[in-house]
Amino acid sequence: MLHNKKIRILTAILIILLLIQGNVIYNTYGKGCYIKNESNIVYSDEEQWANEAIGEALAAASGDVNNLYALSACLVDGDTGRVLFEKDGFTRRANASTTKIMTCILAIEYGNPDDMVTVSKYAASMPDVQLNIREGENYRLGDLLYSLMLESHNDVAVAIAEHIAGDVKTFAAMMNEKARELGCYDTYFITPNGLDATETIDGKEVFHGTTAADLAKIMSYCIKNEEFLKITRTASYTFSSGSRTFTVNNRNAFLNMMEGALSGKTGFTGQAGYCYVGALKRDDKTFVVALLGCGWPNNKTYKWSDTKTLMNYGLENYSRRDLFEYDMPIGQVTVTGAKTKNEERENIIDNVKLDLYIEEEPINMLVREEDAVEKKIIVERELTAPVADRQIVGSVEYYLNGEIIKAYPVYVKGEAKETDYKWSFVNIVKKFLMME
């Protein structure tokens, strides 16, 4: 078995060398060239073997995050959304069918899987890749989500969008609103299927696209949904509508490439190039990789090489640690002009010292050995009465490599009441009587 794998890898390396010699390893297609979405292609066993072998060889030959094929790439902690590595990760680019992860999660959140979706003429007119649904047909929403995510059908994406929001434009507004909720401010969606598109907003042309960092953030959100994971991890799914029966097969080859692969979505258009967003979980580590512009034909295996390189980089260099410092002394605050609780004290007005504290909460993050953790305690050390119990008087801030990651409010333990005329008069009388 090992011997056969070595032969496959050596064969793939020879193929790569031949491609390089022929100067066809990285072709960029010019504007106006129409290329079918990669998910429409069904490979024979031999072709699938060759693709996987080439992917293995590319990954073995590269393995360096500083030599990625993608124009934009991002590796994030899937639990916190923190960017662990990026290559031009904040530049907006077209993102093709990776858009469909947003379409899917919105359909899950706003739809019912047993809803019946009626196909419109517009939905049925979408270009490849298609399920070839027909105008007037009715499909169960839950079934269409498998068609959407396993084989990336463009007509299905539009049918889902129209069912959820009434029309594509309104659904796109929902997509963009969700993106903002997730903190994705460099994302603007126009289509539910990711086909290249532009709009004019305030006299400026805006294209359908996102950044690698935003796309990874959206996927980090999606993989927290069990239904999303169930759909995207399904190998094959069969459903019917009327007299028609369909079987859709999962085109996400990454699911079988690395132990712990969770989910993913491929994409391709002439403008976007090959794109991919995928997630992996091992033990207490969850990583999400997003790639944009990861080659054009004949480079469809580049995305697998880059994905493996980034996932392995994360697995080898990051471990999960709790950065919170427990039983941390915060000190005290001095309150002036406060009533004393001890009525035998001679002072008319006391300076009261109250303890300070924070509520302990772990900071579990993926970090490298060389990452620098810093803590800053920012509190007021002197206050004037009155001071209430649990009054916030400052914060404890945690920084990782100079960027703030968590801030805890600092509370006062106990209270200090303000003096008043009655209290002062009583204490003056007591002091006078004690002098006699």
Side-chain angles (χ1 to χ4, degrees):
M1 188 71 175
L2 181 61
H3 178 70
N4 291 338
K5 185 174 182 180
K6 287 181 178 179
I7 292 175
R8 288 170 58 187
I9 294 176
L10 288 172
T11 303
I13 291 173
L14 289 174
I15 294 171
I16 294 169
L17 292 174
L18 289 171
L19 289 173
I20 294 173
Q21 185 67 30
N23 196 29
V24 295
I25 198 70
Y26 198 96
N27 295 327
T28 302
Y29 279 64
K31 186 175 181 181
C33 181
Y34 176 74
I35 308 166
K36 287 188 176 181
N37 185 307
E38 64 170 56
S39 299
N40 193 40
I41 303 171
V42 178
Y43 298 105
S44 66
D45 291 341
E46 292 78 11
E47 290 171 324
Q48 185 67 25
W49 170 87
N51 281 331
E52 291 177 1
I54 292 173
E56 290 173 6
L58 285 169
S62 177
D64 183 357
V65 293
N66 295 312
N67 290 305
L68 298 172
Y69 296 104
L71 298 179
S72 290
C74 195
L75 171 71
V76 306
D77 178 346
D79 293 318
T80 67
R82 175 178 168 241
V83 174
L84 306 178
F85 176 88
E86 58 90 12
K87 171 191 173 183
D88 210 14
F90 302 97
T91 297
R92 289 194 75 246
R93 300 186 190 279
N95 65 304
S97 286
T98 59
T99 300
K100 290 173 177 131
I101 66 172
M102 177 65 89
T103 302
C104 182
I105 197 65
L106 286 178
I108 291 171
E109 293 180 346
Y110 287 92
N112 184 312
D114 292 322
D115 285 352
M116 295 307 295
V117 178
T118 301
V119 180
S120 71
K121 181 179 180 180
Y122 179 64
S125 72
M126 288 295 106
D128 287 345
V129 178
Q130 297 175 316
L131 181 63
N132 291 311
I133 52 180
R134 300 164 184 165
E135 181 183 1
E137 289 181 329
N138 294 299
Y139 291 86
R140 182 176 169 274
L141 176 60
D143 294 335
L144 292 183
L145 291 180
Y146 286 89
S147 170
L148 175 77
M149 299 305 291
L150 272 56
E151 295 213 16
S152 200
H153 292 136
N154 292 324
D155 49 355
V156 166
V158 171
I160 291 171
E162 291 177 335
H163 173 75
I164 296 295
D167 58 67
V168 166
K169 186 172 183 178
T170 304
F171 188 79
M174 290 175 64
M175 297 170 77
N176 293 322
E177 182 180 359
K178 188 68 175 183
R180 301 300 173 269
E181 288 177 10
L182 299 178
C184 302
Y185 298 104
D186 294 316
T187 295
Y188 188 75
F189 292 135
I190 300 172
T191 68
N193 46 32
L195 293 176
D196 296 330
T198 59
E199 277 185 2
T200 301
I201 302 175
D202 297 328
K204 182 179 179 181
E205 188 174 77
V206 180
F207 66 89
H208 177 106
T210 185
T211 66
D214 276 5
L215 183 59
K217 191 175 293 186
I218 295 169
M219 179 57 106
S220 297
Y221 174 80
C222 290
I223 60 174
K224 293 177 174 64
N225 186 289
E226 289 299 324
E227 186 64 21
F228 181 91
L229 286 179
K230 176 186 173 185
I231 293 168
T232 57
R233 292 171 60 81
T234 297
S236 182
Y237 185 81
T238 300
F239 61 98
S240 299
S241 175
S243 60
R244 303 180 72 191
T245 298
F246 305 88
T247 297
V248 289
N249 299 301
N250 201 322
R251 304 300 182 189
N252 179 19
F254 177 67
L255 290 176
N256 299 313
M257 286 185 179
M258 292 188 73
E259 177 188 349
L262 271 183
S263 180
K265 184 71 191 74
T266 58
F268 177 83
T269 66
Q271 182 175 330
Y274 291 115
C275 302
Y276 185 68
V277 59
L280 176 145
K281 182 178 178 65
R282 282 194 199 168
D283 301 322
D284 59 353
K285 304 175 185 180
T286 303
F287 298 103
V288 173
V289 164
L291 307 169
L292 300 177
C294 196
W296 275 257
N298 299 307
N299 316 130
K300 70 183 306 145
T301 57
Y302 280 9
K303 61 182 178 291
W304 306 133
S305 171
D306 280 4
T307 299
K308 288 181 179 180
T309 295
L310 287 167
M311 291 297 189
N312 283 323
Y313 171 80
L315 290 167
E316 293 166 6
N317 290 278
Y318 285 88
S319 59
R320 191 164 296 284
R321 283 172 45 201
D322 185 358
L323 307 181
F324 186 80
E325 181 182 336
Y326 293 88
D327 301 319
M328 175 177 29
I330 308 296
Q332 294 180 316
V333 62
T334 300
V335 184
T336 60
K339 292 181 182 180
T340 176
K341 292 185 177 180
N342 186 346
E343 296 181 357
E344 295 180 1
R345 295 280 297 272
E346 292 187 7
N347 294 348
I348 296 177
I349 299 177
D350 242 346
N351 288 340
V352 176
K353 290 187 179 293
L354 298 175
D355 291 332
L356 301 176
Y357 71 98
I358 64 174
E359 295 179 343
E360 296 184 343
E361 183 182 333
I363 309 174
N364 291 312
M365 299 193 71
L366 291 174
V367 293
R368 299 173 299 175
E369 288 185 6
E370 59 266 37
D371 283 338
V373 181
E374 182 184 1
K375 178 190 66 187
K376 294 181 181 179
I377 300 176
I378 306 168
V379 297
E380 298 181 64
R381 294 297 179 181
E382 291 188 6
L383 296 172
T384 302
V387 173
D389 184 35
R390 286 184 57 82
Q391 181 172 320
I392 297 175
V393 295
S395 64
V396 175
E397 299 174 347
Y398 280 81
Y399 292 80
L400 185 59
N401 300 329
E403 294 186 6
I404 189 167
I405 55 172
K406 185 77 174 181
Y408 296 84
V410 174
Y411 300 100
V412 175
K413 187 176 183 180
E415 63 177 3
K417 294 183 178 180
E418 184 181 16
T419 60
D420 54 32
Y421 289 113
K422 179 181 178 181
W423 184 90
S424 299
F425 176 75
V426 169
N427 277 272
I428 290 172
V429 171
K430 285 183 178 179
K431 186 174 182 179
F432 177 78
L433 293 174
M434 290 175 65
M435 292 174 61
E436 293 183 349

